[in-house]
Every structure is written in C-alpha cells, then in structure tokens.
Amino acid sequence: MKFKSDPTLVDFVRTEVAPEGLSFKPLHENRVAVRIKAEDADKLAERFISKFKARLIHETAVDLEGEGFDMIYIYDFSKVRERLVVVLEAQISKDDPSPPSVAKITWQASWAEREIHDLLGISPKGTPDPRKQFLPYEWPNAAESGTAPPRPDKGPSGPQEKWIPLGIMPNDAYATLIPIGPYHPGVIEGQTVYVKVEGETVVSADIKTGFHHRGIQKLIERRGYHKGVFAAERVCGICSAAHGLTYVTACENLYEAEVPDRALYIRTLLLELNRVHSHLLWIGVVADVIGWKTGFHLSWGLRERVMDIIESITGNRVNYGIWRIGGMSRDVSKELAERALPTVKALKAEMAQLLPAVAAHSVVKSRLVGVGPLSYADAFDGGAVGPVARASNWKIDVRADNPPHAMYDPKVISWEVITDDDCDTFGRTLVRVKELLVSSDIIVQCLEHLARTTGEVRIEPKVIPVNSEGIGLNEAPRGELVHYVRASEFNMNLPQAYRIRTPSYRNNALIPKMLVGSNLADVPVVMGSTDQCLACTDRFEVIRESGGPSHSMSWAELVALGKRRGV
Amino acid sequence: MAVNWARSGSPWLIHFNTGGCNGCDIEFVAAITPVYDVERFGIKLQGSPRHADILAVTGPVTVQIAHSLKRVYDQMPSPKFVVALGTCAVSGAPFRNCYCVHGGVDSVIPVDAYVPGCPPKPEAMIDGIAKLLQKIRGTKG
Ligand code: SF4
C-alpha cells in the first residue's frame, strides 16, 4: 500500500510557505526541497516557527568540495499539511562559510550548529553558543596510550579549560562541583556529568559526552548503500530496529520504491517488538536505579521472552540484519506467526500488571513523582521528542504525524498516541508502560495479518538515481529519529552525504535543565528518565552548558528555584 | 594455589563500555538476570574497580575513552583479568580504522579472554567467562 501524495504541495510551498525560494523540487512522498539564498535562512525560520508552528527537525551541511557547502534545514510541517516536510537548501562559499544562525531563533539548533562547525568549519553568524563541541579535546593526537607522541603541555589556557562548566567559578566556595563519569557504575555508557551542588541541591549541571563517537556517518558514506544497512543498525544496539528501518526508508525515499505490503507488516512488527524490549529494558534500569530490584528482575524477565520472539523471527537477538533496501531478507512464516501469537497475548496480560505495580506502588512513586520536572513550554522550546515530550503533554509521535510507511494508518492498524500530564519522571514511566500495551496490540494485529496472508517480502533493488535526496523519519523507542541521505552525482554506489539525528541527541540536552533543583540522590534517576542512549547521541558529540545565553538564569533565580523544590 | 582456587570461585566483575553500540551491554546485563544467572558461578557485578577481579569491556576503544579505560584498569588490584566482549572489543571491527577509534581493547590494556560476536549471545559471554575462570584456576599463584 502506498501513501497518496498530494500534487498541490509544491504550489502551496511556493506561494505560502517560502515565496523567497529560488527553485522548488518535489521529493518523494510529500517532501519538498526548496533552494534558498543563505541570507534568508533565519528570516524563513522565524516565519516557519511563528506563523506555521513548524518544527525544526535537523540542521546540517554537506560538503560540495570545490563548490562550497550546502546548508540543509529540515522542517516538519505535518501539523499544517499531511506529512509535509520542507527541506531548505542554501549554498554557501568556502571562503566565508558563515550563514545566519537559526539557533538564535529556535534554540534546538544550537548543537547542530556547533556540530557543523566542528565537522565542516562552518560558523553560523550570531549562534548563541559558538564553542567547539565535536571532537575530543586531545584531537588530533591519539590517546595517551602509547601510539602517538605525548601531547605537548598547553599550559593553563589549554583546551581542557573549556570543559569547566559555565557558572562554576573557582571562588564559589559554598558550592561543590561533582564530576560523574566517564566511568560510573550507575551509568552504563561513558559520559561526564558535572553537577554543582549546594548542600544536597543541584544548582547547575552540564553534560560532556562524546566518548562513544565512532564516526559512523562517515563509515556509512564510505560503505555504500547496501552495506550501510549493517553499519546503521550498529548506531545503537538497543534501538537497532529503528535505525535499520529508518536507514532503508531513507534510501527507498531516494526513488519511488514499491515495498511489498507484507514486508511493511514485518517492519511494523519488528519495530514494535523492538519498542517493547527497549521500554522493558528502560523500566528495569530505572527500577534498578531507585533500588527496586524486584521491578528490575520482573521487567528483564519479561524482556527475555520478547527477545525469544525476536530471535525466532530474525535469527538474531540484537542486530537483526534482515533489513534490505526494497523489503526484508526473511519472511515470517504462518507457523512462526501462529506460534508467537499466544506468547505475545500472554505477555500483554503480564505487562498490564506492571501498570498498577508502578502507578500504585507508594515507594516507587515517592522516588519518581516530581523528580526531573519538564514543563510543556520547556519541552517545546528544547525540542524534546518521544516519551519525554509526550510525558510533558505534547502529542507528537512520528508514527501519527509523519509515518515511515502506510501501515500506521489507524484504518489499517488500530493504535493510539499516549500522553501524560505529570511532566516528570513518573509521567515518563507511565507513558512507557502504557506504550507497552499499545505496542503489543500492534504486534498482535501484525502477527494475525501475517498468519492469514502470504506474499512477497522483497523487490529487486533498482539502481539508485543520482541527484536525489531521501529522508527517513521514524518513531524510535526514544523518539523521533531522522536519517537524511543525499545521492552522489558521480557515484551510483556511494551516497554523497549521510546524516543521522537521533532522539537522544535532543533529549539529552534537556537533562541539565531537569537536573537543576533536584536532589543529588535523584541525579541518576533524572538522567535515566530520558532513556539516554549515548551510543546514539555520540555518533557525534554533545555538550550542553546549563543556561546558554538564550536560556540564562541569574544566580539568584537558580538558588530560588532550588529552594522552591524544597530540599 | 588455594588463593587462585578461591578467587575463581567468587570473581567480582566490573563492566566498562568503551564506546560500543550498547548491543553487547544489554546482552551482558541480560546475562546477570535470572534467565541466564551468572551468579551461579559466584560472579557478582561490582561498581568500583578497586573491588573487582575481572574487567569486562564492551565496544571499540574510542580515542576519547582510552585514557579512562587505562585508569580504571590501573585502579584494579592485582591479579586482574580482562575479558573483551564482542567483536568491537576484540578488534575494533566494524569500526576499526575509523578516525575516532583507537582499536580493540588489547591496543590499550592486556586481554585474557576474547568473546567474538556482534553481539555474542549471553551464553557465549558466560562461556567466555567460565573459560577464563578455568584459566585462573590453572595459573600458578
Ligand atoms: S560488537 Fe557489535 S553489538 Fe557489540 S558493541 Fe560492537 S557493534 Fe555493538
């Protein structure tokens, strides 16, 4: 089944959305590329956000070698027109690579601008946070483990100084700076969180990640389309289904690929199984962090059974390796589907018991309610995605707004978007537990369909056309995931550029904001509450200092905020 | 000899992710849950390197984290053992030769047991650790 595309969209974009555009190119599936002058980028951003309530999905840039750079701004217009995504493109020269900053209008772009500064040397004019962000501070020398000559001592003004978080002055005698990480038993992945505490209360916080940066975008650009599937899955082992699916949708979006319906059902099935295992994993991790070991073992016990179903379908537990451009590499047989159905139904009944176990457990509630608050306005400004946004009562879900394929149409599979108005860690827990049930409903419907029907699961891959662009959008367990691919003009096998923006990239930024005012003992819970996945985030690096210029809080305000939370 | 025998009966494990995709990590954590239950070998997951006997490393060693890995290793009391879980930790693949990747774990610290797989199943990890325990029992103490 294919999406109906709307032929009037280009006209709509030309006349109403971006009359400044120089040229308009319809991409596949309700996506429109607009070439603009670089100077107009901020003016357009302003109008998109204030007038159309559009949302910036990602800002990035592509190196055109001799011809400069192409700035890419991807906006989500799904609230205005069905599934409309507008891609603005502006060419800038290499002599003066300084387009106007979009981050000064919508703060969510600020990391993206720091990232392109480090990746490509583009420095947007007027960006609120111009500091270096991307590469390790000892770059370009290899680590101190013997392969490279020792790093010359840079003296007191060495790069390390930049890592002292903003707002933490040496003469703050009454505050204590506690660095957590990069190795910390409470956090599986490598990151450093600096929290500044007064007494027990956190007054400011900062995250330094990047320990997981593996250069995976470059890897995909050099491996080619078909091998890239396997690299894309390895962006993150927890949400590998989401990355695999988004990768293949982005590549299929380069041309009009007619993926068979059965393959789409299998994709939906795997994505939801993946969501169930990821949410169960998260519930276990948070239960472990708050000391509720029973909860940890309960949810990981359930998770193993989901893993068994996944293994029976794909042959693998973590990186499935069955995604292909144009379909799937394996079918789900009737017997397999029929065997999995009763297991999923039994699992759903057991998962339904998690809800009262969490929602009515007074000890669990005492550790979660009011912890890590994030208001709707903050979530909206900061660009939260996924369960974090939905727990702040913001109804966004890519499966509803910009579905990766037509199977998420409520007419095909019935499901609903879960939101919650608690705006704290408790709300995030409730959203995830309820999503478990919604996902298992979707899984049951997919399995029933697969057991009933037969069909092809893959079409022969076509030659990928040169000079084309593809966007893969998808709701990963942690939120909106975007893959952007641009085909090369010269090479049919290698993409010119591949960019990934993961949900954790957005949600991690909000952690310092959620931490301010919380008790030191709650720091791991708050950090866990976004389900942060650093492997995802660190396909490039993120730094966030509490209170960047556009969000600055005075010292007195911070202290007042801390007192209000009453510690 | 007796010390080694005792040590191999209750090894304390510390887990370090040096930049992996999390795939190996969730399988490792799955191995300590009741379904796989490594505790029957007396294995206990430990937070502090200073209490640990075995360092379980997952993921390719990125340039940024190599230093921390070395430090954690140095903090462990001797005798100490290292097991590399997953192809990434074994050799760095599939991220070998990426500009930000230092290499496998053995490019930074000595490794006693390798468990290849992307990711290895929890059973394979348990097997690797059990083999390491045999090796510890055999070492001259
Ligand atoms: S070996 Fe595979 S699963 Fe393990 S960290 Fe590396 S890429 Fe991930």
Side-chain angles (χ1 to χ4, degrees):
Chain A
M1 202 169 79
K2 274 184 58 184
F3 280 125
K4 280 197 297 295
S5 50
D6 184 350
T8 61
L9 277 179
V10 177
D11 277 340
F12 170 71
V13 173
R14 180 181 291 130
T15 51
E16 290 186 41
V17 176
E20 292 89 342
L22 304 173
S23 69
F24 298 82
K25 182 167 111 190
L27 304 175
H28 300 292
E29 290 187 4
N30 287 12
R31 280 143 197 186
V32 181
V34 184
R35 191 151 280 285
I36 55 165
K37 289 211 268 316
E39 306 88 83
D40 292 336
D42 53 347
K43 201 167 71 195
L44 281 162
E46 179 107 52
R47 165 142 38 85
F48 286 4
I49 288 159
S50 58
K51 187 166 163 213
F52 294 101
K53 298 270 171 289
R55 200 167 54 84
L56 181 73
I57 295 179
H58 194 30
E59 171 181 350
T60 183
V62 175
D63 191 346
L64 302 178
E65 299 182 6
E67 292 158 39
F69 299 108
D70 247 355
M71 296 293 300
I72 314 275
Y73 307 88
I74 306 174
Y75 287 91
D76 171 24
F77 274 79
S78 61
K79 303 275 185 218
V80 185
R81 282 295 176 95
E82 203 188 331
R83 300 193 332 267
L84 174 61
V85 172
V86 175
V87 186
L88 299 184
E89 300 172 344
Q91 195 168 353
I92 55 175
S93 85
K94 281 201 171 163
D95 304 329
D96 176 27
S98 47
S101 160
V102 170
K104 61 181 195 256
I105 293 154
T106 167
W107 174 81
Q108 340 175 346
S110 99
W111 301 349
E113 293 192 346
R114 289 159 70 176
E115 178 212 336
I116 54 178
H117 178 80
D118 288 350
L119 269 176
L120 297 161
I122 298 170
S123 36
K125 258 198 292 291
T127 181
D129 196 351
R131 291 166 317 133
K132 200 161 167 59
Q133 128 167 45
F134 175 50
L135 293 166
Y137 34 84
E138 49 264 62
W139 191 259
N141 290 337
E144 284 111 80
S145 42
T147 55
R151 179 154 50 106
D153 191 2
K154 295 245 170 59
S157 61
Q160 205 136 1
E161 209 180 52
K162 289 194 190 117
W163 297 90
I164 297 180
L166 276 188
I168 297 180
M169 299 297 157
N171 55 5
D172 277 348
Y174 44 89
T176 317
L177 175 66
I178 304 180
I180 303 174
Y183 170 73
H184 188 270
V187 192
I188 281 185
E189 297 161 88
Q191 64 173 344
T192 310
V193 178
Y194 296 97
V195 289
K196 185 166 109 179
V197 291
E198 268 184 49
E200 285 280 298
T201 313
V202 177
V203 291
S204 79
D206 185 18
I207 292 189
K208 154 81 176 82
T209 63
F211 297 100
H212 289 246
H213 179 70
R214 289 155 293 170
I216 205 158
Q217 302 184 132
K218 197 78 194 160
L219 194 72
I220 295 175
E221 285 171 17
R222 287 290 157 270
R223 289 265 154 108
Y225 296 110
H226 293 281
K227 284 189 197 161
V229 182
F230 306 103
E233 272 193 300
R234 282 158 182 78
V235 171
C236 172
I238 305 179
C239 43
S240 62
H243 281 284
L245 172 59
T246 319
Y247 179 87
V248 293
T249 9
C251 292
E252 284 159 6
N253 201 221
L254 286 170
Y255 57 98
E256 204 76 48
E258 305 223 1
V259 183
D261 274 5
R262 193 174 175 80
L264 296 181
Y265 273 104
I266 300 176
R267 287 180 181 186
T268 316
L269 170 71
L270 280 178
L271 185 65
E272 296 305 323
L273 280 169
N274 187 248
R275 189 182 322 278
V276 170
H277 107 70
S278 173
H279 281 359
L280 282 171
L281 177 140
W282 178 84
I283 294 165
V285 169
V286 164
D288 189 42
V289 168
I290 63 173
W292 186 37
K293 295 281 177 197
T294 324
F296 170 67
H297 287 306
L298 262 179
S299 68
W300 278 70
L302 291 175
R303 182 178 164 272
E304 272 312 315
R305 285 158 58 192
V306 183
M307 298 304 267
D308 287 345
I309 301 176
I310 294 178
E311 194 176 356
S312 69
I313 292 175
T314 67
N316 292 310
R317 282 166 56 95
V318 173
N319 292 321
Y320 310 142
I322 74 168
W323 309 97
R324 294 291 182 276
I325 298 174
M328 305 300 281
S329 74
R330 276 191 180 209
D331 194 3
V332 176
S333 67
K334 184 162 181 276
E335 299 76 55
L336 208 56
E338 276 169 356
R339 197 148 21 98
L341 262 170
T343 326
V344 176
K345 285 185 181 150
L347 261 175
K348 190 191 166 196
E350 283 182 48
M351 288 190 298
Q353 288 167 5
L354 271 178
L355 191 59
V358 174
H361 195 304
S362 58
V363 180
V364 173
K365 276 176 85 170
S366 71
R367 285 300 308 273
L368 301 179
V369 175
V371 171
L374 183 74
S375 66
Y376 174 82
D378 282 348
F380 191 81
D381 274 4
V385 289
V388 176
R390 292 197 284 275
S392 296
N393 213 0
W394 181 13
K395 196 170 178 182
I396 53 167
D397 190 315
V398 182
R399 290 175 291 169
D401 304 337
N402 247 322
H405 48 71
M407 294 309 155
Y408 281 112
D409 188 331
K411 287 200 267 322
V412 183
I413 287 176
S414 75
W415 69 284
E416 55 173 344
V417 180
I418 304 281
T419 55
D420 191 275
D421 56 4
D422 278 302
C423 303
D424 57 8
T425 308
F426 184 60
R428 280 161 225 148
T429 316
L430 289 187
V431 166
R432 289 193 175 97
V433 177
K434 288 181 189 159
E435 281 185 5
L436 285 177
L437 307 180
V438 174
S439 290
S440 33
D441 281 344
I442 303 180
I443 295 170
V444 169
Q445 295 174 50
C446 289
L447 284 173
E448 279 169 353
H449 180 93
L450 291 170
R452 249 195 341 259
T453 55
T454 52
E456 283 293 301
V457 292
R458 193 177 176 190
I459 48 162
E460 275 306 304
K462 291 187 211 159
V463 175
I464 289 180
V466 296
N467 213 345
S468 155
E469 284 164 72
I471 299 170
L473 277 163
N474 182 14
E475 183 77 14
R478 289 158 186 73
E480 176 195 60
L481 170 67
V482 187
H483 284 216
Y484 169 82
V485 55
R486 180 187 274 202
S488 163
E489 281 178 53
F490 313 107
N491 193 325
M492 310 267 253
N493 296 316
L494 298 180
Q496 181 182 33
Y498 201 85
R499 298 285 181 266
I500 305 171
R501 202 226 70 216
T502 59
S504 294
Y505 185 58
R506 284 283 172 82
N507 289 340
N508 276 1
L510 293 162
I511 290 178
K513 190 173 251 160
M514 297 179 202
L515 281 177
V516 170
S518 68
N519 195 308
L520 182 60
D522 287 335
V523 169
V525 187
V526 177
M527 277 160 49
S529 76
T530 64
D531 203 356
Q532 49 171 186
C533 169
L534 294 153
C536 279
T537 312
D538 293 353
R539 87 269 173 267
F540 37 70
E541 178 188 42
V542 176
I543 312 156
R544 161 87 171 103
E545 281 186 350
S546 107
S550 60
H551 276 257
S552 60
M553 278 185 171
S554 75
W555 178 246
E557 274 174 335
L558 280 175
V559 174
L561 188 65
K563 299 226 167 91
R564 203 171 64 231
R565 292 262 300 119
V567 175
Chain B
M1 213 51 196
V3 177
N4 273 333
W5 172 80
R7 183 176 289 126
S8 66
S10 66
W12 284 11
L13 224 70
I14 159 179
H15 169 218
F16 195 123
N17 180 345
T18 54
C21 78
N22 267 334
C24 287
D25 305 78
I26 54 174
E27 293 294 71
F28 178 73
V29 179
I32 61 169
T33 57
V35 177
Y36 297 100
D37 192 17
V38 285
E39 287 195 12
R40 65 202 144 107
F41 297 107
I43 294 172
K44 186 163 173 275
L45 198 62
Q46 247 308 311
S48 166
R50 296 188 201 277
H51 297 159
D53 302 305
I54 300 179
L55 176 62
V57 190
T58 53
V61 183
T62 61
V63 173
Q64 291 202 71
I65 210 148
H67 176 66
S68 311
L69 175 63
K70 176 95 173 32
R71 262 185 69 183
V72 166
Y73 180 75
D74 288 344
Q75 284 172 0
M76 289 169 60
S78 286
K80 48 196 164 190
F81 305 92
V82 179
V83 22
L85 300 175
T87 313
C88 282
V90 170
S91 68
F95 303 108
R96 201 185 171 90
N97 297 337
C98 276
Y99 58 90
C100 239
V101 173
H102 195 266
V105 175
D106 52 10
S107 68
V108 183
I109 53 175
V111 176
D112 300 275
Y114 296 88
V115 183
C118 184
K121 291 183 70 163
E123 290 95 331
M125 295 187 177
I126 296 171
D127 183 48
I129 294 172
K131 290 226 170 82
L132 176 66
L133 294 182
Q134 274 170 12
K135 188 170 155 184
I136 296 175
R137 252 175 236 150
T139 20
K140 303 229 163 56

